[in-house]
Amino acid sequence: MISVRLRVNGSEHRRDIEPRLLLVHFLREVCGLTGTHVGCETGICGACTVLVDGSAVKACTLLAAQADGAEITTIEGLATNGHLHPMQDGFWERHGLQCGFCTPGMIMSGVQLLARNAKPTRAEIADAIRGNLCRCTGYTHIIDAIEYAAGRPATGGAR
Amino acid sequence: MYPAPFEYHRPATLDETIALLVQHGDEAKLLAGGHSLIPAMKLRLAVPRFIVDIGRVADLSYIRERGDGFAIGAMTTHYAVESSRMLRERCPLLPETAAHIGDVQVRNRGTIGGSLAHADPASDWPAAILALDAELEIAGPKGRRTVRAEAFFVDLLQTALASDEVLCEIRVPASSRSVAYEKTEQKASGFALAGVAVVVGNLGEVRVGITGVGPKAYRANAVESALRGQAAPTAEAIARAARHAANGVDALGDIHATPEFRVHLAEINTQRALTRAFNAR
Amino acid sequence: MSDPVKSPYIGRALKRVEDPRLVKGLATYTDDLRLPGLLHVCFLRSPHAHARVDRIDTSAARTLPGVVAVLTGADVNEHCGIVPCAAEIPDLKSPRHTVLAGDRVYFVGHPVAVAIAADPYVARDAIDAIEVDYDPLPVVVDPEEAIKAGAPLTHPDLGTNIAFTHHVTGGTDIDDAFRRADKIVKERMVHQRLTPMPIEPRAVVASYHRGDGTLTIWSSTQVPHLVRTLLPGMIAIAENKLRIVAPEVGGGFGAKLQVYAEEALCGHLAMRLGAPVKWIESRRENAAATIHGRDQIGEYEVAVKNDGTILGLKARTVADLGSYCQLLTPAIPTLTGLVLTGCYRIPAIKVDLVGVYTNKMATDAYRGAGRPEATYLIERLMDIVAREVGIDRVELRSKHFPAVADFPFQTACGVTYDSGNYQGTLAKARQLADWDQLVVQRANARAAGRLSGIGMSTYVEICAMGPSKAMPAGGWEWGCVRIEISGKVTAITGVSPHGQGQETSLAQIVADRLGVLIDDVVVLHGDTGVAHYGRDTYGSRGTALGGSALVMCIDKIVAKATTLVAHLLGVTADRVVFADGRFSAPGVERRLSWAELAGEAFIAKNLPPGLEPGLEASSFFEPANFTFPFGTHIVAVDVDRETGKVTINKYVAVDDCGIRINPLLIEGQVQGGIAHSLGQVLFERTVYDENGQLLTGEFMDYAIARAGDIPDYIMGSTVTPSPVNPLGVKGVGEAGTIGATPAIANAVIDALQPLGVRHLDLPLTPERVWRAIQQHSPVAV
């Protein structure tokens, strides 16, 4: 067993864990944050994408031990004071999701993109979500959603 | 989905790292970014008893000027290389190649050293460091040694690294903009079916590194010879030279591409990379 | 807070009610369930495509700390029955597929043993400690080889690899049609096996309440009601002590229209072990042991006159069913014959189908379920016939369309299309595509030596499954609408959406019909304890049938309310007016809202004699027919001569799904479907090697579309209501996939046509295209 301390969405979690515990399982089981999903085991689908020290990573391909001491943001940490993050708003406005399973990871990749490139082209958006697979939407509405988020500040989720 | 159990070590220094490797030998694996190792462990294709996490080892992640070139720490992420303004200006092949690796999430964690040490025959970095004729610095219990890129890739998934050694640094010369990386992807994984990196030197000398085609990445010496002495080759000369791209290579075949198609892609991508690199002169 | 959105809602691109919980990560998928004492289940699966299981030693696995049990077929099969097949296929030969393998495994991924532990990591460790002695048996993977005498048998005790044969003739005399033809055009086509790959693999949680003997199973399923109906035939639980819940489900596409061994086994384990159990499928398991799609090989013949008139169509098909039957396995290829003639008046058809077993995973319904094969073959044939006869491809199609007035239109396949306007979508698609300009651009490209092509499909498909007479276990749909005392509305549907957005679209329908605010409507689904009846979601039936059932409920409620209002206002019922959510009568000042009526109906102090309290109704909607959405897709592509890479330059989709409840959701369904087609045409294929090893077991080897693969779309629609349900809705969930595949394929082959390429099977990977170019070029490129 090893001791780790991770700060997730602003809250600290200290645990003794088996070193083989994957970060995604730490988040889901130890922190109880089930918004981050598992869709494959070869690190391709991106449903598990979270931000670790501001960088989008696939939480299924990290040991929790590697994230010891890091600041982690999951999908549950995006909305503030009940207001949707602009990226979440964009996905809602533009029907960027259907079954919703890929969505938390997709949103986190969208957040990463806009932090690095505030006004991406559609081609840049498509490239930025290369590591996020969706089988429902066909992606067009997802790109619309991220464009929307790039253009508009949060509006509080009005219909 | 679930790795087998292992004992975990997180050394703070290179010396500690080497000591652990000496102690545990073949039963230990280095954990860099983890994006080759952890998927293999989740499928239980790799079941190391000891994991040596070098993610916190001091001073392994950097991009520095060194002589008239650059020194890149082995733990530098692909993203750091991709976004380095200095490299984009003065060694643009490296950022161009980095942009082809995996996806954003992979590039945020995967490291150039980890990728090179793993030596997947379809990974992107080997083509670039061969074309740049890079030097790789390796640390072991007997001290440091330097290996040229061409000598680093030994066979399928095999490098010149011994089990008690750590790749520390990659040194590359500066280059002009006369560079190119042309890659055809395996559609599912994003790895290379044929990735060709070209560097054209100031006197028109050409170096070509090819990945994805054979059991290891290689310098396309026959292509380079065919263009020797031509500072501004014609399109026909480039096309003729490119046909040597897979000379002597035992091309890989799988459900994604037959050996013949890989050879063909090597030739086409060599032609396209040479064209683009020479046009940038 | 902005003003609430008001009626009318039908036809508006409203944001979805589902989304806030999904975008916040607060929705509950099966793996998100937490129960006290939960145990974790892991399967050991066969690495061999065909082998005897001589010995299984679980002793080491059972001693691992944290392992609760390790069980094999010998321990569980007698308690778990046979995986059911509901297809009504006469004389079907099928193996008895037990939940764990008995003494023989017959596909890679066949579950052999199960480990249960307190921690999923430990359950996985236990799998490694199980020893199995396999004795390999001969393997057969090629379905055409499997039919031949002397082929290795997938199931030796069946004595044959042939599961069934299916012969249909329809319309006029087919032999006469072929005698009268000026030309017989033949082509062989392979509809490759595909892997559905929803991003959420399967997942099951089962919990048994020892106190009252009830079993609850949460499953990532499209069909909670079908599971509830069929599981009692497998495990020892009565139907009325069984509750099935579909929590959020991360995509289905037909792969979760099933009753799977793992569901039955988890239910049994919960009862046997006295603890709740959870099984989460890995992606590798999903690729190997969740149903596959398509997999037909067809030899087709078209009898045609010199002027292009098509007299008849023959299809000889071999369907590779895999190694056993899941719920509808043998039925799926028979659906192809229902829409074989597509949008066209083709007077005579003949179908000869053989269903064959091979050592692979079972095939079953995957987005389109037998109908994409029909649309693909007929649309490819139209292009091939047009070229053979020397007629323009558009003209050949158009001349065979029935006119709008010809509907309901009976086809030689024995179905009657409800409504259609094929000229309408064709004309609109050509206009949106600027067809003439595309032709000019293609000519210019060809003059410059480029490979450039235009493809189209005019498609029709059969969905909104369906009239009960034609369905194996009831095709109706159930709904319930309740006006609560507060005036809020609860609508309960028996369909089970998993991304289709019916919490929104059905609320739009209900809110419009009742004249209430959509924010006051809640739609419940997916839990058999809440939606007592249902036939679930597949076959693009959710809105057409689920919505119609709710409309029936509302009609009953309005009728009951009318009686009550007449009594309260002291008028005769015929004078009561219902408009904008209010009841009134001329000359009477008082107007009654639903809230007021509900109060009256529940508090029940002043009801007319004979009127029951309450303001709720439930209904079963029995459709008189299937529905037939249709459309035209037009695609323009360039093909790189040197690499075989296909680039889509233009994509026009004009789809008619009848009355459009929510255009935003419709667009999402069509685009999602086209992405599946892009995959099928350009890079998707389930691959088994000659030893039956699955080579496409992960996303590393099975490519599905990424964002960068998607072209910009030009999308349009026409609206031809369906006369078959009160909403006029046809359905749209599968239409994109059905219409897009042939349009894209036709474009690529059109690009290669100047080289003399007549047909190429899918997927049109760069290598396949390059090889075709090589074979047909005078000089190697």
Side-chain angles (χ1 to χ4, degrees):
Chain A
M1 300 291 262
I2 55 170
S3 269
V4 296
R5 180 184 60 80
L6 280 69
R7 201 168 171 77
V8 183
N9 299 334
S11 297
E12 188 163 283
H13 297 265
R14 279 179 195 271
R15 280 300 190 288
D16 292 335
I17 59 168
E18 278 194 75
R20 61 173 171 163
L21 185 69
L22 299 171
L23 176 61
V24 67
H25 293 139
F26 185 94
L27 295 171
R28 291 179 54 82
E29 309 301 327
V30 172
C31 306
L33 297 168
T34 57
T36 303
H37 299 144
V38 175
C40 77
E41 55 269 2
T42 51
I44 299 250
C45 80
C48 63
T49 303
V50 297
L51 301 181
V52 175
D53 292 331
S55 288
V57 301
K58 293 176 181 175
C60 74
T61 310
L62 243 73
L63 304 175
Q66 290 176 282
D68 188 17
E71 294 263 352
I72 297 168
T73 308
T74 72
I75 186 71
E76 294 94 336
L78 280 194
T80 46
N81 294 328
H83 290 300
L84 292 180
H85 185 283
M87 190 61 63
Q88 292 168 312
D89 206 32
F91 274 72
W92 192 15
E93 282 290 332
R94 287 286 179 262
H95 189 34
L97 62 150
Q98 291 178 23
C99 81
F101 196 75
C102 77
T103 306
M106 197 68 80
I107 286 176
M108 301 314 286
S109 283
V111 170
Q112 168 84 113
L113 171 65
L114 295 192
R116 291 177 174 173
N117 178 356
K119 289 278 180 235
T121 63
R122 289 180 74 88
E124 287 171 333
I125 295 173
D127 197 59
I129 57 174
R130 231 182 95 80
N132 294 81
L133 295 180
C134 174
R135 199 52 159 159
C136 290
T137 66
Y139 299 103
T140 302
H141 286 162
I142 290 176
I143 296 176
D144 293 345
I146 296 174
E147 266 196 327
Y148 180 95
R152 294 270 305 270
T155 58
R159 249 193 220 254
Chain B
M1 185 63 209
Y2 306 99
F6 54 83
E7 209 179 287
Y8 174 81
H9 297 276
R10 190 198 293 154
T13 68
L14 205 47
D15 286 339
E16 279 179 53
T17 305
I18 292 166
L20 283 163
L21 292 179
V22 168
Q23 185 186 357
H24 296 301
D26 283 335
E27 294 195 304
K29 288 290 285 178
L30 290 174
L31 177 62
H35 277 53
S36 302
L37 180 60
I38 290 180
M41 291 172 67
K42 285 158 67 177
L43 293 173
R44 302 207 175 192
L45 299 171
V47 281
R49 281 194 59 204
F50 301 93
I51 290 290
V52 180
D53 179 356
I54 54 172
R56 314 297 168 101
V57 171
D59 203 34
L60 280 183
S61 176
Y62 51 83
I63 302 172
R64 296 177 186 142
E65 294 182 80
R66 179 78 56 83
D68 55 5
F70 301 95
I72 300 165
M75 288 296 287
T76 307
T77 63
H78 309 314
Y79 174 66
V81 177
E82 181 189 3
S83 55
S84 161
R85 191 165 293 154
M86 183 162 67
L87 291 178
R88 282 182 184 176
E89 289 296 310
R90 294 163 53 202
C91 191
L93 181 62
L94 288 179
E96 180 179 345
T97 303
H100 283 273
I101 298 174
D103 52 56
V104 168
Q105 297 95 312
V106 167
R107 296 198 287 277
N108 280 340
R109 283 302 296 192
T111 66
I112 182 168
S115 171
L116 288 170
H118 181 65
D120 190 303
S123 60
D124 299 297
W125 279 132
I129 67 150
L130 284 167
L132 287 165
D133 202 11
E135 288 188 334
L136 292 89
E137 185 171 285
I138 296 169
K142 304 199 200 84
R144 303 235 171 180
R145 63 191 183 100
T146 300
V147 172
R148 278 186 65 222
E150 237 179 321
F152 184 76
F153 303 104
V154 170
D155 204 341
L156 180 69
L157 295 165
Q158 263 187 286
T159 69
L161 287 167
S163 63
D164 56 6
E165 290 184 308
V166 182
L167 174 60
C168 303
E169 184 177 270
I170 298 96
R171 287 195 288 273
V172 295
S175 82
S176 68
R177 296 203 164 287
S178 301
V179 301
Y181 182 53
E182 282 287 322
K183 173 187 181 182
T184 303
E185 283 187 349
Q186 194 267 70
K187 186 75 185 79
S189 69
F191 279 86
L193 291 178
V196 178
V198 165
V199 174
V200 179
N202 293 326
L203 303 171
E205 68 278 23
V206 166
R207 287 194 300 268
V208 179
I210 299 188
T211 185
V213 179
K216 59 170 188 161
Y218 61 94
R219 283 273 295 274
N221 301 110
V223 174
E224 297 173 9
S225 303
L227 288 172
R228 193 151 289 134
Q230 300 181 55
T234 61
E236 290 73 34
I238 286 176
R240 273 197 310 274
R243 282 202 262 284
H244 298 290
N247 275 16
V249 173
D250 208 358
L252 300 169
D254 57 23
I255 60 169
H256 302 292
T258 59
E260 299 78 49
F261 194 55
R262 274 190 172 82
V263 167
H264 172 70
L265 290 174
E267 295 170 8
I268 295 298
N269 286 349
T270 298
Q271 181 178 4
R272 292 182 178 186
L274 286 168
T275 303
R276 192 150 56 85
F278 274 104
N279 283 348
R281 264 163 79 73
Chain C
M1 183 70 174
S2 58
D3 289 331
V5 174
K6 293 207 174 83
S7 200
Y9 300 109
I10 288 180
R12 289 174 55 187
L14 294 182
K15 296 187 332 186
R16 293 194 327 170
V17 161
E18 293 85 335
D19 288 358
R21 66 183 188 262
L22 295 170
V23 299
K24 290 183 204 166
L26 297 178
T28 303
Y29 296 81
T30 304
D31 193 13
D32 304 337
L33 293 165
R34 301 277 173 273
L35 280 75
L38 187 68
L39 300 177
H40 297 267
V41 171
C42 192
F43 287 92
L44 174 67
R45 295 180 183 271
S46 170
H48 296 283
H50 199 192
R52 263 196 302 275
V53 181
D54 288 337
R55 181 184 74 97
I56 308 178
D57 186 348
T58 62
S59 51
R62 277 184 274 121
T63 63
L64 288 184
V67 171
V68 168
V70 183
L71 303 170
T72 68
D75 301 309
V76 302
N77 285 347
E78 61 182 300
H79 304 288
C80 292
I82 303 297
V83 169
C85 178
E88 298 165 311
I89 303 285
D91 302 320
L92 172 71
K93 287 188 158 66
S94 89
R96 299 180 76 251
H97 188 70
T98 51
V99 302
L100 291 181
D103 58 7
R104 192 170 60 90
V105 290
Y106 36 86
F107 67 101
V108 166
H110 197 161
V112 170
V114 64
I116 306 100
D119 179 306
Y121 284 68
V122 172
R124 178 62 185 84
D125 292 340
I127 297 303
D128 279 350
I130 302 173
E131 286 175 26
V132 185
D133 287 345
Y134 294 103
D135 191 7
L137 293 167
V139 168
V140 60
V141 289
D142 182 322
E144 291 176 304
E145 290 301 314
I147 301 178
K148 293 183 185 163
L153 289 176
T154 307
H155 300 289
D157 53 311
L158 289 183
T160 175
N161 287 321
I162 294 178
F164 71 98
T165 60
H166 175 79
H167 304 283
V168 175
T169 53
T172 59
D173 186 323
I174 189 80
D175 294 324
D176 180 60
F178 272 67
R179 271 193 301 271
R180 286 188 292 117
D182 292 324
K183 266 190 162 73
I184 310 292
V185 178
K186 302 187 189 190
E187 192 58 69
R188 172 188 158 92
M189 299 181 195
V190 175
H191 309 260
Q192 83 272 35
R193 180 174 280 240
L194 299 173
T195 310
M197 296 295 209
I199 304 301
E200 187 205 17
R202 291 185 287 140
V204 183
V205 170
S207 178
Y208 181 66
H209 194 289
R210 255 181 307 172
D212 58 21
T214 56
L215 177 66
T216 304
I217 297 180
W218 294 262
S219 181
S220 181
T221 179
Q222 300 171 223
V223 291
H225 295 94
L226 291 182
V227 173
R228 182 171 178 265
T229 301
L230 291 168
L231 270 193
M234 296 179 75
I235 59 178
I237 191 80
E239 186 190 14
N240 57 359
K241 297 223 166 197
L242 177 60
R243 176 178 165 221
I244 309 291
V245 182
E248 300 298 345
V249 171
F253 314 111
K256 297 175 181 174
L257 157 54
Q258 279 302 333
V259 177
Y260 280 107
E262 294 89 344
E263 287 164 318
L265 184 56
C266 285
H268 169 66
L269 291 174
M271 294 191 281
R272 180 187 189 124
L273 300 176
V277 301
K278 175 190 275 192
W279 171 63
I280 304 302
E281 188 183 43
S282 71
R283 178 57 55 186
R284 176 156 293 249
E285 289 178 296
N286 183 263
T290 292
I291 61 96
H292 292 158
R294 318 276 189 267
D295 212 348
Q296 295 182 25
I297 300 173
E299 310 263 352
Y300 306 110
E301 295 181 62
V302 182
V304 61
K305 304 287 286 175
N306 283 331
D307 68 353
T309 305
I310 296 174
L311 302 178
L313 170 59
K314 289 185 191 171
R316 256 192 354 267
T317 307
V318 175
D320 186 341
L321 308 179
S323 56
Y324 71 99
C325 291
Q326 286 274 161
L327 191 68
L328 297 167
T329 300
I332 302 303
T334 68
L335 298 181
T336 305
L338 294 180
V339 278
L340 198 67
T341 54
C343 289
Y344 312 109
R345 292 180 172 289
I346 295 177
I349 60 110
K350 183 174 195 290
V351 173
D352 295 298
L353 167 65
V354 179
V356 175
Y357 290 123
T358 61
N359 290 110
K360 301 177 190 157
M361 178 57 195
T363 54
D364 209 301
Y366 162 55
R367 201 163 198 173
R371 293 105 71 209
E373 292 90 316
T375 305
Y376 175 71
L377 77 92
I378 189 65
E379 287 304 293
R380 281 294 306 126
L381 285 172
M382 293 308 265
D383 268 23
I384 293 170
V385 167
R387 191 146 294 279
E388 284 277 314
V389 169
I391 276 190
D392 175 76
R393 298 177 290 168
V394 176
E395 200 196 308
L396 179 66
R397 287 172 164 83
S398 184
K399 81 184 242 133
H400 287 89
F401 287 164
V404 171
D406 293 334
F407 289 82
F409 174 64
Q410 180 160 52
T411 72
C413 302
V415 299
T416 302
Y417 295 174
D418 60 351
S419 62
N421 180 4
Y422 307 142
Q423 294 291 6
T425 60
L426 174 60
K428 186 153 190 180
R430 291 186 67 191
Q431 180 235 325
L432 288 174
D434 197 351
W435 178 268
D436 294 336
Q437 187 54 235
L438 283 185
V439 173
V440 166
Q441 283 166 351
R442 182 182 60 182
N444 292 341
R446 288 177 175 176
R450 292 208 318 271
L451 296 173
S452 188
I454 306 167
M456 64 184 294
S457 85
T458 49
Y459 75 90
V460 66
E461 76 113 344
I462 175 173
C463 70
M465 310 285 181
S468 295
K469 287 189 169 66
M471 301 285 287
W476 42 263
E477 193 41 74
W478 177 86
C480 172
V481 176
R482 171 184 316 135
I483 316 290
E484 313 276 7
I485 295 181
S486 59
K488 303 284 190 203
V489 179
T490 299
I492 310 174
T493 178
V495 302
S496 202
H498 42 283
Q500 292 88 342
Q502 264 93 17
E503 284 174 40
T504 306
S505 53
L506 294 181
Q508 288 173 259
I509 293 167
V510 167
D512 264 4
R513 289 267 174 166
L514 287 174
V516 301
L517 292 176
I518 196 170
D519 288 346
D520 289 341
V521 178
V522 159
V523 175
L524 303 179
H525 61 88
D527 181 343
T528 64
V530 171
H532 303 131
Y533 299 100
R535 276 300 169 246
D536 305 315
T537 291
Y538 44 82
S540 309
R541 69 196 301 275
T543 307
L545 303 191
S548 295
L550 295 175
V551 165
M552 286 175 70
C553 297
I554 291 168
D555 289 344
K556 290 176 185 171
I557 290 172
V558 169
K560 181 173 187 180
T562 299
T563 305
L564 178 56
V565 167
H567 172 75
L568 293 173
L569 297 187
V571 301
T572 52
D574 62 342
R575 290 177 53 77
V576 172
V577 174
F578 171 56
D580 299 325
R582 290 273 188 284
F583 289 84
S584 61
V588 180
E589 204 188 310
R590 189 179 178 202
R591 280 156 44 89
L592 289 153
S593 69
W594 284 111
E596 290 168 285
L597 281 172
E600 294 281 349
F602 281 100
I603 296 174
K605 286 189 194 294
N606 183 13
L607 296 182
L611 194 74
E612 292 176 25
L615 208 51
E616 119 169 16
S618 65
S619 302
F620 289 82
F621 175 69
E622 173 64 50
N625 192 3
F626 302 92
T627 62
F628 297 84
F630 58 95
T632 301
H633 288 204
I634 293 174
V635 183
V637 303
D638 278 341
V639 175
D640 184 321
R641 246 179 228 282
E642 292 179 326
T643 63
K645 186 162 147 51
V646 172
T647 305
I648 297 177
N649 296 324
K650 196 169 222 176
Y651 197 111
V652 172
V654 175
D655 301 282
D656 192 317
C657 58
I659 297 293
R660 294 155 63 82
I661 306 297
N662 186 322
L664 191 58
L665 303 190
I666 290 169
E667 201 174 79
Q669 288 300 312
V670 174
Q671 290 173 354
I674 295 173
H676 284 232
S677 289
L678 279 167
Q680 178 178 2
V681 178
L682 296 177
F683 41 79
E684 286 189 44
R685 185 165 73 105
T686 310
V687 181
Y688 286 88
D689 73 9
E690 68 275 11
N691 298 313
Q693 289 299 313
L694 179 65
L695 301 182
T696 49
E698 298 278 0
F699 285 133
M700 291 287 287
D701 292 299
Y702 190 93
I704 67 172
R706 288 184 164 91
D709 297 316
I710 309 298
D712 291 331
Y713 296 115
I714 299 167
M715 300 186 76
S717 62
T718 60
V719 179
T720 306
S722 171
V724 154
N725 60 67
L727 291 166
V729 163
K730 285 181 184 272
V732 74
E734 293 155 296
T737 299
I738 289 169
T741 299
I744 304 166
N746 280 343
V748 176
I749 295 172
D750 185 58
L752 302 178
Q753 199 282 321
L755 301 176
V757 173
R758 175 178 141 130
H759 179 70
L760 263 189
D761 280 325
L762 307 183
L764 299 171
T765 58
E767 176 156 4
R768 224 175 242 198
V769 172
W770 174 72
R771 284 189 182 276
I773 294 170
Q774 296 309 295
Q775 277 160 27
H776 289 82
S777 293
V779 174
V781 287

